[in-house]
Amino acid sequence: MFSRNFSPLFSGLLKKNGINTSQRLAYSTEYNVATVFDRKVKRIQRDRAALNVSQSREVDYLKDEIASRVVDRLLDIKKRFHTIVDIGSGCGHVVKHLDEDIASKVIQCELSENMLHRDADITYDVEVERRVIDEEMLPFEENSLEAVVSSLSLHWVNDLPGALIQIRRALKPDGVFIGAMFGGDTLYELRTSLQLSELEREGGISPHVSPMADSRDLGSLLSRAGFNLTTVDVDEIVVNYPSPMELMKDLQAMGESNAVMNSRGYLHRDTLLASHAIYKELYGNPDGTIPATFQIIYMIGWKPDSTQPKPIARGSATTSFKDILEDKSNPSPNL
């Protein structure tokens, strides 16, 4: 658990649904969903957040921690890569945890030019190439990449299935994708408090915390995108803040403010104050701080290749499991 005792305003995070360009239709034609997020607004939010360099670096704590956990999963592969592509790299959270034993080069891809170049003067253990790229429109050729990682970026993509398909197409056979994104329980305390205060003061609710991805769906999405040997696991990080206002300010400084299409985008002062009181009453810690829960969904998928292990064909077993259990000469079988 982290303890956060300083600043920066509020809001939003995730869900994957939407497809709205002819290029993405080439990747997936069997579904058609609405645009959820305003990508232009999200780019502006990230640009503004990165302009205040000192404040932006002060709130790197969450993204740095999750990036380190993504790299831990990369280390489990026991393979050295020449080039790793970091989709939605932000200011460079993943590269901080890489060294020459893992890769020679990292290509950082980020929607916001300001955020991409915030730490361009810092030297890392691996070579860094920076490209301004929209996560929804990847420019990489098919079968060209060894490994792709994404840490806390795909939750702002409108078409998650389409983005995963693009990543799989860009990977070489037996190439790996490792990603982390916020899950459905992220900031449930804030969401509940805002909804209750709006119902009480205004008689209705509007989305101030973005819709979240469900961990139960991501395994199916990876398979649907064409990945093999998929793995999905969930983790939680709880950060303590002095008050809801500090939480909201930190989210704004991270570039994680709400970007839902047609969102009202503001709260009346009375409603905001009421939400703070509800937050502390429902979830407050004994010491006066408030917890904020971040649910992280990690996913791993491999591009299919003939060298990968395959399951034995159904019905090909030569020994009955029932016979093993009933074997009197082996009363304690080693299963």
Side-chain angles (χ1 to χ4, degrees):
M1 179 181 294
F2 291 87
S3 182
R4 177 68 170 160
N5 295 318
F6 46 89
S7 319
L9 189 245
F10 130 62
S11 151
L13 305 138
L14 9 6
K15 178 137 183 154
K16 291 54 297 254
N17 278 14
I19 179 167
N20 57 4
T21 72
S22 58
Q23 178 173 345
R24 288 202 298 280
L25 282 170
Y27 293 109
S28 180
T29 58
E30 73 270 26
Y31 60 89
N32 186 17
V33 286
T35 300
V36 178
F37 304 112
D38 190 325
R39 299 284 293 171
K40 181 179 178 181
V41 168
K42 179 46 55 185
R43 177 182 57 78
I44 292 171
Q45 290 173 350
R46 289 180 174 179
D47 280 341
R48 288 175 176 172
L51 285 176
N52 190 331
V53 176
S54 60
Q55 186 182 63
S56 177
R57 286 175 176 166
E58 194 176 69
V59 297
D60 279 347
Y61 58 92
L62 181 63
K63 293 185 177 182
D64 284 349
E65 173 62 25
I66 295 168
S68 73
R69 301 185 187 192
V70 170
V71 173
D72 282 345
R73 286 160 173 78
L74 197 61
L75 286 169
D76 290 339
I77 296 175
K78 308 296 182 186
K79 176 182 178 181
R80 188 181 186 278
F81 301 94
H82 179 270
T83 302
I84 295 173
V85 173
D86 183 5
I87 303 295
S89 64
C91 305
H93 306 283
V94 169
V95 72
K96 295 177 182 179
H97 305 283
L98 297 176
D99 57 38
E100 293 183 347
D101 292 334
I102 303 175
S104 300
K105 178 180 177 179
V106 174
I107 300 177
Q108 294 184 349
C109 307
E110 169 57 42
L111 178 67
S112 163
E113 185 171 5
N114 290 353
M115 192 163 279
L116 181 66
H117 294 284
R118 189 199 73 179
D119 293 341
D121 57 334
I122 296 178
T123 301
Y124 299 100
D125 292 339
V126 299
E127 179 186 350
V128 178
E129 178 183 341
R130 295 174 173 85
R131 300 186 190 179
V132 178
I133 291 175
D134 189 333
E135 300 97 322
E136 294 188 341
M137 306 285 286
L138 300 181
F140 301 103
E141 295 183 2
E142 188 172 357
N143 300 322
S144 63
L145 306 178
E146 299 174 85
V148 175
V149 299
S150 180
S151 183
L152 296 188
S153 169
L154 292 178
H155 56 272
W156 289 118
V157 172
N158 281 302
D159 179 18
L160 182 59
L164 292 174
I165 290 170
Q166 292 184 64
I167 291 170
R168 191 261 301 159
R169 286 171 59 92
L171 285 169
K172 296 177 180 179
D174 203 35
V176 64
F177 164 66
I178 302 178
M181 60 191 300
F182 288 119
D185 287 339
T186 297
L187 297 181
Y188 72 87
E189 304 99 336
L190 179 61
R191 185 191 300 109
T192 301
S193 301
L194 289 170
Q195 290 175 347
L196 290 174
S197 64
E198 277 198 305
L199 281 171
E200 177 192 353
R201 298 302 172 97
E202 303 179 34
I205 61 175
S206 57
H208 295 286
V209 178
S210 302
M212 308 287 181
D214 193 320
S215 60
R216 294 170 295 184
D217 297 332
L218 284 178
S220 298
L221 285 177
L222 287 170
S223 298
R224 181 178 176 180
F227 285 100
N228 272 357
L229 308 174
T230 59
T231 304
V232 175
D233 63 289
V234 181
D235 196 6
E236 282 191 356
I237 293 177
V238 179
V239 186
N240 291 321
Y241 294 85
S243 76
M245 184 56 71
E246 275 67 33
L247 165 60
M248 293 176 177
K249 288 180 178 179
D250 272 24
L251 291 172
Q252 186 183 53
M254 293 176 193
E256 294 293 336
S257 297
N258 187 22
V260 173
M261 292 288 291
N262 302 318
S263 173
R264 190 173 66 177
Y266 67 90
L267 281 169
H268 295 294
R269 178 178 174 82
D270 286 349
T271 304
L272 184 61
L273 292 176
S275 72
H276 290 182
I278 292 170
Y279 201 133
K280 289 201 170 189
E281 179 66 26
L282 292 180
Y283 305 108
N285 295 318
D287 63 358
T289 62
I290 55 100
T293 300
F294 297 89
Q295 183 187 57
I296 318 301
I297 305 173
Y298 300 94
M299 47 192 165
I300 302 175
W302 296 79
K303 184 163 183 174
D305 184 67
S306 59
T307 63
Q308 294 170 349
K310 296 178 176 59
I312 297 174
R314 185 179 180 89
S316 62
T318 58
T319 303
S320 168
F321 190 68
K322 179 181 178 182
D323 292 342
I324 295 175
L325 293 176
E326 293 180 348
D327 187 353
K328 302 297 184 181
S329 63
N330 185 20
S332 300
N334 183 16
L335 301 180

